[in-house]
Structures are given as structure tokens and as C-alpha cells.
Amino acid sequence: KKNYLSKNEVVGILQKNWRDYVVTFPSKEESQGKNAQKILVTPWDHRVPKIRISTQQAEALQDFRVVVRIDSWESTSVYPNGHFVRVLGRIGDLEGEIATILVENSILVVPFSEAQMCEMPVNTPGNPWKVSPEEERERKDLRETHLVFSIDPKGCEDVDDALSVRTLANGSLELGVHIADVTHFVPPNSYIDIEARTRATTYYLADRRYDMLPSVLSADLCSLLGGVDRYAVSVIWELDKTSYEIKKVWYGRTIIRSAYKLFYEAAQELLDGNFHAVDDIPEFRGLDEKSRQAKLEELVWAIGKLTDIARHIRAKRDHCGALELEGVEILVQLDEKKNIHDLIPKQPLEVHETVAECMILANHWVAKKIWESFPHQALLRQHPPPHQEFFSELRECAKAKGFFIDTRSNKTLADSLDNANDPNDPIVNRLLRSMATQAMSNALYFSTGSCAEEEFHHYGLALDKYTHFTSPIRRYSDIVVHRLLMAAISKDKKMEIKDNLFSNKDLEELCRHINNRNRAAQHSQKQSTELFQCMYFKDKDPENEERCISDGVIYSIRTNGVLVFIPRFGIKGAAYLRNKDGLVISCGSDSHSEWKPGSLQRYQNKITSTTTGGESVTFHLFDHVTVRISVQASRCHSDTIRLEIISNKPYMRPDTELLHQSSLLLKSDLVKEVTRSVEEAQLAQEVKVNVIQEDYQKYCQTKGSSLYTLLEEIRDLALLDCKLQN
């Protein structure tokens, strides 16, 4: 008789994947006996059971986050056995909590080694880096023929990409995307290549970043700064001058000299015809009026033409079903009376979409090129269609507002979301787009030899083939793609392929590693943001502090409560309508809430709370309510934001001047305020900076004394990735 196993049954463990775990020792009140040598410690991760540790230092470690490692787990025991590794920091201290997030996501933060740094090129005032004669012979030189410029967030140091557009002698247009040639400085299997492969990505936290490559590359020689010679890998298209249809494409290594390093805001001002923005562009300073006017006209034409081309490219993708998705970080727009007028995405500038569309075009064409040359060992990026059942909540929420969301394809979904606009409440459409984003699976890297061609499709971008080529400074996937592109060019020229390319099997394994590290990067960024949100609210009195009261929007109904979105802080969380004592929420004639005996009745798009006295209040999807924000403290785990509905009416702040000052509290402001509070507390106690803090400052890999010079870049990059689902 045969035994048939179900598809999901675990039949054996091939390899144990134990990692380091952050734990907390029992408090004095929970102590397991003064002389106990076997101690049960509680992991920071809720999913992991308590771990049994042998130590006599339990009392001394009660106030610290500690790293342990599991050694064994007997089949007869509820708990695994482990051993102490090291102390991270005090519970609740900023640096200790950041260290906890890094360990829990298996992010190893160490300085680049001496061997790795010895491989780096030198660029000092006494020994400046120069373009070599050999590279001048091998590369296409664009320094005198092309107007190249970059458009980036303020404070950006690692400029991956630059753009160019010009009219050719035959009347056609030429569009160029120029990407830093990182692989020139990072040979395969060098010490720095192995380190970059291990890191796989640059890790962006709320207040800092940890680079994939040393700053001599990421912020200097591989950063396409204005007015300096740089090596690039370029994709250049010839376009029809009126239809913008692509006539031919060229790929290759180039030398560029970016003429302008523009910020998004300045570029948008020029696009809108506001030429006063020139005063903020350093490259225009010191020019005579005639030269200034000529260069300005040239730059304005280029930005305008790029935007026209990008609109055309976007329209073609929209026709195929490209999705415009929404992140949760939102700006509050105020009317003349300083009341909330609208909630707008953090990046509303059209010029940002212009840059993004050019990058998507380059990624798409490079994907096609490397797949054509290496059909069984190219690194591409797929975004599979979501399961229809994941859209059920989106469809029901939209239905509550009278909208129909057709999810049969990306095209019907995109059209439906475009039509789901409530003129009285703009946030409805943004929440629906956010819910559509949540319903989708993550895009993943894969080797083309591991699946059929029909599975290559990128659902969110509506492209048959897609990869990542445009950010080799911060993504190892792009380094692999650059090497594949160089090999494809060599193959076309019937030249020897210099680099040993990954086999399909090795590339599959590398893609799994990069996908894993990307998930860790996303989780750590989210957890660090939540940490700062909690630290910001933790020392505030929720009963009396004005900032702890905010407007919230109900976006989901649950059995015992609702899920609420707080636009002002970008917070999402549960607000319970039944408390631990079994009492339900009641709102009197003044709309303010209190707890009373009663029951809850949940419906599809609403939930009703009825007291034993007959009073009832109903909360509908997309209702605006007044919410009190506080922190649910936890000694062993991360603190969490706690939301409490205190009125079934929208929040109207009496102090409109305070509203104007504080409604625009962004993540950067929140981070700064929390860190300033931490620093003030340390000064007040006259506590010296401990070893952990010194180490983390050393490992932080940012320029200057401030951790915040990169925040605008961090936010823009994160939102761009979220928006494109790349």
C-alpha cells in the first residue's frame, strides 16, 4: 500500500537555517530564581519561542538587548537551547534598538576591509583621478557633443543616472540614458565585488544608510556629478521627431561630463516657465547675460523635450495597462484658512515622472538585449499577476463608495482606479491605490533559464521584459546586468567575452540571495520608521498633548474594530471598538466616545456598536474620525502605535496656527526631533557616548557630521520603488 503525501507536508529538514536572535532576559519581577543557571529568554520576534540559556549573568543583563544563537532543539522539549553571543544596547535606547533591527534582519554592518579598500581607485587633491588614454580610445566620448545633466533629490550624493536629448542632423531626435559604469571599478570576484554581492543592496533606514559600495565609488568616482569627467554605460535611442517612435538603439561604454546637477524642484520650475529658478542652479552663476540666456534656452528645451517624450512613453504603457500605485507617505495641503484642503503624494512633480519613465525605458531595452544574447542566463525582474482573491477587499471597499473595480487585467484595474475618484474626499482614491498595492505580490529577480518566456511579464509596469540596470551604485542586480550587457555587446562584435557569466543554476541561487536581501532591506526600513514613530509619541501625554490627536480615515472593517489610516503621520493601525473588559464604544450627543456594556454587529461595509441602554453608533468605510495616538510599550518586543477613536466626527483642531506648523511633520522632521530628544537626554545625564554608538557612527558611511543629509534622497528612492513596484 502506497503512502501519498499532501503537497504541503514537511517530511524532513535538509538544512537548519538558525540565525542570530535578539532576546530580553526576565525582569526582576519575572526572575526564575536568584541561583538559576538555566534561564528562559524572550526573543524580540514574536514568532520565535523562548530560548533556554545557560548563564549566571541574568540579573546584570536584565536591562539590555542581547544576541543569542540556538545550538539545539530536543524533540522532547518545548524550548530550544542556545548560548549568549553579545550585548547590543540598553532597552529603549535609539542605537540599541537600531542594532536590534539590523540583527533581526541579518544585516551585518561592518566597515569595508583594508583589502577591499586597497582595490579602490585614488582621487585626492594631490592625486586626482583622470580618464585614461586607453579608455578614451575604447569609449564613445560625449563630453563635447551632448548636453548631459542629472535631476535628483536635494542632498543626493550617489548620482546613478544622467540624461541627454538633442536633434540630429537628419532631423530625428536622440534620447540618451547614461548610467555610472560601476563595473569598470569592480572586477568580477574581486574583494569588493564579493562584499557587494554579499550585501546585495544599500540599506536605507529612517535616519541613516549603509552603502553597498565604498563612498569613493558611490559618492565620488561613480557619481555623475556636474562638471567632472565620468565613465558611463549609455543607452541611446534615435526617435522620430514627431511620433517619438524608436527607430534604432545603441548600447555602449561612454565618457560623459554632466553639465548640470539639477534638483527636482528647480527642473520643475524651468519646465513650468519660472526662470527665477536659475538663481538656485550653481552652473549659471558667474556667466555673462548672453551666455546665461543661451544656456538657459538650451536647458529649458531639453527638459521640455524629455518631458514630452516621457509622456508619450507613459501613454503607451498606460494603453497596455501600466498601474499608477500609491505609497502611504503623504503631504497635507492647506487652504487659505489653513484647514486641510487635500492630501497629496510626497512627490507630485511631473519632472520626477519624466526621469522615472526614462529609467523604465532603459531597463526595458537592456532586458530585451541581454535576453536575446543570453536566453538561458539573463537576470530579469518579473512581477506576476496577483491572485484575484487578494483583490476582494479592494473591490468591496470601492463598492461602498459606489465604484466598480475591474481586476481581470492590469489594464482594467488601472482604468478602474483612474475612475474611482470622490470629488469630496481625494484620499479615497489614494487609499484604494494603496490597497491595490497591498494586494500584489512583490517583483522578484530571476534567471531566464528557470522559467518559460510567458512568465517574464512585469504586471505593474505592463512590460513583457524588465530588469534593473539604472542603479548599480546601490543594487548588485544592476552590476550583474551591466556585465551581461557588456558581454552581449562583445558577442555582437564577435569579440571574446572577458567576464565569466553566471550559469543558470548559479544565477538562480544569486537571485534568491538578492531577493532575500531586498526583503530584509524593506523590513528594516519599515521597522526603523515604526521605531521613530513610537519614540516620537512615547514621551508625550496622549491625554493632553495636541499632536497626539489627529484625523483618521477608516479603510477596513474587522470583527471587533476598524483599521484606520492617519494621513498626517502616514500611520496605519487597528482601533478597537471593544476593549479588554468587554465594553463597547459609545458616542454621545457631543460625538465623544466612552466605554459601555453592549455588543458589536459587523456588516460588509460598516460596523455598529450598540450599548445595553439602546445607544448605537455606526462606523462606515472611509469615515473620518478623531483618533488619539499613544504607544503600547513592550519590554521584550518592539513598541507599537496604539490608536483609539475618541470621536466619530472628523478632527477639527481649534488652534489653526499650530495646525499649519505641525501638519507638515514629515518623517525627516520626526527623525530629527526624536534624535534631538535622545541627544538632550544624554547631555542632561552627562553620559558619555558608549562603544556601541561610536561603532555605529563609524559604520554609518555617510559624509559629514549629520545623519540627515541623505533623508530626502532616501524618501524619494523608497517612494519611487514603491510606486513602480520595481
Side-chain angles (χ1 to χ4, degrees), residues 330-334 338-343 536 547 549-551 566-570 651 653 655-667 669:
I330 292 174
L331 277 171
V332 179
Q333 190 180 69
L334 305 175
K338 299 179 182 176
N339 295 317
I340 295 178
H341 171 66
D342 194 7
L343 295 162
Y536 175 74
R547 287 188 180 183
I549 311 297
S550 189
D551 189 62
I566 313 293
R568 182 172 153 207
F569 298 108
Y651 179 53
R653 187 190 298 270
D655 188 343
T656 55
E657 184 62 33
L658 183 60
L659 172 65
H660 178 67
Q661 294 171 359
S662 62
S663 284
L664 295 174
L665 184 72
L666 304 178
K667 184 165 65 178
D669 301 320

Side-chain angles (χ1 to χ4, degrees), residues 43-311:
W44 188 81
D45 188 336
H46 288 274
R47 300 168 299 175
V48 181
K50 291 183 177 182
I51 301 169
R52 186 181 289 108
I53 303 293
S54 297
T55 181
Q56 295 181 333
Q57 303 297 319
E59 191 172 336
L61 296 172
Q62 286 175 351
D63 298 326
F64 293 87
R65 298 275 188 230
V66 174
V67 176
V68 303
R69 197 164 294 159
I70 292 177
D71 301 316
S72 63
W73 196 342
E74 302 297 331
S75 59
T76 55
S77 175
V78 177
Y79 306 113
N81 298 309
H83 67 272
F84 167 89
V85 177
R86 69 183 187 277
V87 174
L88 286 180
R90 284 189 176 275
I91 297 170
D93 280 359
L94 176 60
E95 295 301 330
E97 297 300 325
I98 289 287
T100 295
I101 290 170
L102 294 174
V103 170
E104 282 295 319
N105 288 284
S106 300
I107 298 172
L108 184 60
V109 182
V110 293
F112 292 102
S113 71
E114 186 177 346
Q116 291 158 3
M117 295 306 295
C118 283
E119 295 177 338
M120 293 296 94
V122 176
N123 187 28
T124 63
N127 188 13
W129 177 86
K130 296 177 183 176
V131 171
S132 74
E134 181 185 358
E135 291 296 327
E136 277 188 314
R137 290 191 298 270
E138 295 289 329
R139 295 171 181 265
K140 180 179 282 192
D141 194 338
L142 309 181
R143 288 175 289 184
E144 303 299 329
T145 57
H146 289 63
L147 175 67
V148 178
F149 56 93
S150 62
I151 307 176
D152 290 285
K154 286 182 179 178
C156 180
E157 292 178 345
D158 51 352
V159 182
D160 284 298
D161 54 83
L163 298 163
S164 66
V165 63
R166 64 175 185 161
T167 303
L168 299 175
N170 63 5
S172 297
L173 288 172
E174 183 191 82
L175 169 66
V177 171
H178 314 281
I179 307 300
D181 190 0
V182 172
T183 57
H184 172 80
F185 299 100
V186 183
N189 296 317
S190 60
Y191 289 122
I192 198 62
D193 180 56
I194 293 168
E195 179 64 25
R197 191 188 313 160
T198 302
R199 297 187 183 206
T201 183
T202 291
Y203 297 95
Y204 294 93
L205 273 61
D207 69 330
R208 64 193 75 186
R209 76 179 190 188
Y210 298 103
D211 291 333
M212 184 183 77
L213 293 169
S215 60
V216 67
L217 295 183
S218 63
D220 190 1
L221 294 180
C222 289
S223 187
L224 307 181
L225 305 170
V228 292
D229 296 343
R230 290 291 181 260
Y231 294 151
V233 178
S234 301
V235 184
I236 300 174
W237 300 268
E238 184 179 330
L239 311 175
D240 183 271
K241 65 179 179 181
T242 53
S243 68
Y244 299 143
E245 292 301 312
I246 294 171
K247 298 164 78 172
K248 63 173 72 169
V249 61
W250 178 88
Y251 308 88
R253 281 185 150 137
T254 56
I255 304 173
I256 66 169
R257 183 186 298 137
S258 178
Y260 304 100
K261 183 178 182 292
L262 301 175
F263 299 141
Y264 285 124
E265 294 79 7
Q268 185 66 47
E269 292 285 349
L270 294 179
L271 182 64
D272 294 340
N274 180 9
F275 301 140
H276 293 296
V278 171
D279 297 334
D280 298 324
I281 301 174
E283 290 84 356
F284 281 97
R285 293 170 191 159
L287 295 176
D288 62 73
E289 189 58 34
K290 186 177 179 180
S291 299
R292 180 187 173 102
Q293 190 60 34
K295 286 182 176 292
L296 177 60
E297 289 177 4
E298 181 185 41
L299 179 60
V300 169
W301 178 87
I303 295 173
K305 188 57 67 176
L306 277 175
T307 303
D308 283 343
I309 294 169
R311 287 171 186 155

Side-chain angles (χ1 to χ4, degrees), residues 474-538:
R474 62 186 181 92
R475 294 189 301 232
Y476 191 76
S477 56
D478 301 51
I479 289 179
V480 175
V481 168
H482 275 234
R483 289 173 182 154
L484 283 163
L485 180 60
M486 292 303 104
I489 293 168
S490 297
K491 190 175 181 182
D492 288 347
K493 295 178 180 177
K494 296 185 168 42
M495 295 168 58
E496 180 187 355
I497 297 175
K498 295 179 181 178
D499 297 337
N500 291 324
L501 302 179
F502 288 104
S503 66
N504 174 56
K505 183 179 178 183
D506 290 340
L507 188 57
E508 269 190 289
E509 187 175 336
L510 177 60
C511 287
R512 276 194 296 270
H513 167 68
I514 296 175
N515 290 332
N516 174 275
R517 291 294 81 208
N518 280 348
R519 280 191 294 271
Q522 291 166 3
H523 291 159
S524 60
Q525 186 177 41
K526 179 175 180 288
Q527 288 164 356
S528 69
T529 301
E530 291 169 350
L531 167 66
F532 274 93
Q533 287 172 339
C534 288
M535 294 188 78
Y536 175 74
F537 287 107
K538 195 167 187 176

